[in-house]
Amino acid sequence: MPHKFNDARRHKFKKKRYRISNWSEYNESLRQRGDVTIWLSPEVEAAWRAERRKTRGGQPVYSDLAITVCLTLGMVYKPPLRQTEGFVRSLTKIMGLDLAVPDYSTFSRRRAGLVLPMETRARTNGPIHLVVDSTGLKIFGEGEWLENKHKTKAKRKSWRKLHLGSDLISGDLVCSDLTTDGVGDPTALPGLLDQIDGGVSRFIADGAYDGDPSSDMLLARFGDDIQIVIPPPKNAILSADAQDNPTLRDQRITAIRNGGRMAWQVSSGYNQRSRGETQMGRWKQVIGPKMKARCFPNQRTEAKIGTRILNKMNGLGRAKCEAIS
């Protein structure tokens, strides 16, 4: 709901204040994010070289894990590919690891078909509470500066659409995908759900996912016990059979008509969708608002590695906030 349109007649209330109750542990986790041994540990030495192929063709030298580690360091500390090669080479020398480092052209070539190692499931037992949202990421180009500075017509600005699904309990990103800007949110939803290896007891998303196809898909995958929290638009109408057999969407429409949209957001827990927006803010603050890769396959790998980076940082420690007023 746009706050500024109702600000003049909205009841004024004091904003809640919070404090971090585990500041010492959280502060140490922030320090560990810059520790290179978190991203490059001596244990990777055993799996650095690729296994020999049993089919015809050239033998790969570096494993997918080695490429993933190097690209991860490049995204965490943000050097270009050539500087990433030199950075990893110096780290292996300092750590006393006898490893040959891939060159920058190998990074670029192997990134397109990179198979990332499997991640462990989110640190929760049982079904998760899933919140899904999407945001736009810029692609490398002249941008607005060239158009404003030199009064030239820049190329048509292109975007990539990043879809993220996070667990409200653990804070981990349990699914992610990168699509072109023309792919709608409901169209990308099946690919996100395929990445979840467990159950979902609650699904929260914005009005872009409203409609029977999304609800039917969630019910078919996770059963009738799933709680779907998706706001209908203001002009939504009840189905023809709403009196005798109301659907979940009919129930949401009726609840909003009877108590108002703000009351429905509080009672249904829809306000927790803001934590999905927080994940978008974390991504653009830590990873960045632009894609470094030029071609689409490399950009999808970059998005997967970015998801793993945020989960790694989340595993180091999270802030626990409590209300003080």
Side-chain angles (χ1 to χ4, degrees):
M1 293 291 292
H3 179 85
K4 60 183 179 180
F5 295 134
N6 301 321
D7 184 62
R9 58 179 182 271
R10 190 185 300 273
H11 175 67
K12 302 297 180 180
F13 56 90
K14 188 177 180 180
K15 186 177 180 180
K16 282 189 176 182
R17 297 174 58 198
Y18 296 87
R19 72 177 183 91
I20 299 177
S21 59
N22 63 334
W23 174 248
S24 59
E25 294 83 358
Y26 179 59
N27 196 31
E28 179 59 27
S29 71
L30 295 179
R31 297 191 189 102
Q32 290 179 351
R33 294 182 183 185
D35 189 349
V36 293
T37 59
I38 296 295
W39 312 101
L40 178 61
S41 60
E43 288 77 13
V44 303
E45 185 176 6
W48 191 263
R49 295 187 62 87
E51 297 181 358
R52 291 187 60 84
R53 292 176 51 181
K54 298 181 180 179
T55 58
R56 291 184 177 180
Q59 295 293 338
V61 178
Y62 307 101
S63 64
D64 289 339
L65 176 62
I67 304 298
T68 302
V69 170
C70 295
L71 292 177
T72 299
L73 288 169
M75 292 185 64
V76 171
Y77 299 103
K78 297 180 174 57
L81 291 183
R82 288 176 173 83
Q83 282 73 25
T84 300
E85 178 187 349
F87 181 53
V88 179
R89 187 188 303 165
S90 63
L91 289 179
T92 57
K93 185 183 300 183
I94 294 174
M95 298 174 66
L97 301 177
D98 186 16
L99 299 177
V101 178
D103 56 34
Y104 64 92
S105 61
T106 303
F107 294 155
S108 181
R109 184 179 68 255
R110 291 280 299 275
R111 184 164 49 178
L114 187 64
V115 179
L116 301 182
M118 294 295 295
E119 278 189 312
T120 57
R121 197 187 165 197
R123 295 175 292 277
T124 54
N125 295 324
I128 64 175
H129 293 186
L130 180 65
V131 56
V132 175
D133 206 348
S134 63
T135 187
L137 299 176
K138 287 185 178 181
I139 304 177
F140 180 88
E142 292 90 343
E144 297 85 355
W145 181 86
L146 181 64
E147 185 175 358
N148 295 333
K149 181 69 175 178
H150 298 286
K151 307 301 180 183
T152 59
K153 185 177 180 181
K155 296 180 180 179
R156 182 177 180 181
K157 300 179 182 64
S158 299
W159 297 76
R160 293 289 182 255
K161 204 169 185 180
L162 177 66
H163 307 264
L164 296 178
S166 59
D167 180 14
L168 290 178
I169 299 176
S170 66
D172 286 337
L173 296 174
V174 295
C175 55
S176 65
D177 195 8
L178 188 75
T179 63
T180 58
D181 54 358
V183 176
D185 292 346
T187 305
L189 183 59
L192 295 177
L193 299 181
D194 290 340
Q195 303 175 31
I196 301 176
D197 57 356
V200 176
S201 60
R202 196 178 191 191
F203 178 84
I204 304 177
D206 58 18
Y209 297 86
D210 177 62
D212 292 336
S214 298
S215 299
D216 294 342
M217 182 192 312
L218 292 168
L219 292 173
R221 286 176 180 257
F222 304 112
D224 297 335
D225 295 334
I226 183 175
Q227 181 184 2
I228 302 175
V229 184
I230 302 175
K234 295 199 306 185
N235 58 352
I237 59 176
L238 298 172
S239 62
D241 199 20
Q243 293 291 338
D244 301 329
N245 187 20
T247 62
L248 294 175
R249 188 171 186 268
D250 293 332
Q251 297 175 13
R252 293 194 290 266
I253 295 174
T254 303
I256 292 174
R257 288 180 178 179
N258 294 336
R261 186 172 292 268
M262 300 297 291
W264 173 82
Q265 290 183 4
V266 175
S267 61
S268 63
Y270 177 73
N271 292 334
Q272 293 185 359
R273 194 187 69 85
S274 62
R275 296 172 65 180
E277 298 284 352
T278 303
Q279 294 285 14
M280 303 298 177
R282 285 185 64 210
W283 183 286
K284 294 188 177 182
Q285 182 70 25
V286 177
I287 308 301
K290 297 181 180 180
M291 307 295 300
K292 294 177 64 176
R294 304 292 184 90
C295 61
F296 186 57
N298 289 354
Q299 291 167 356
R300 299 196 69 178
T301 301
E302 181 180 335
K304 292 295 183 182
I305 295 177
T307 301
R308 295 172 63 89
I309 292 174
L310 293 183
N311 285 342
K312 184 74 171 181
M313 292 182 175
N314 186 59
L316 296 175
R318 300 174 61 197
K320 296 180 181 179
C321 300
E322 58 182 19
I324 59 176
S325 65

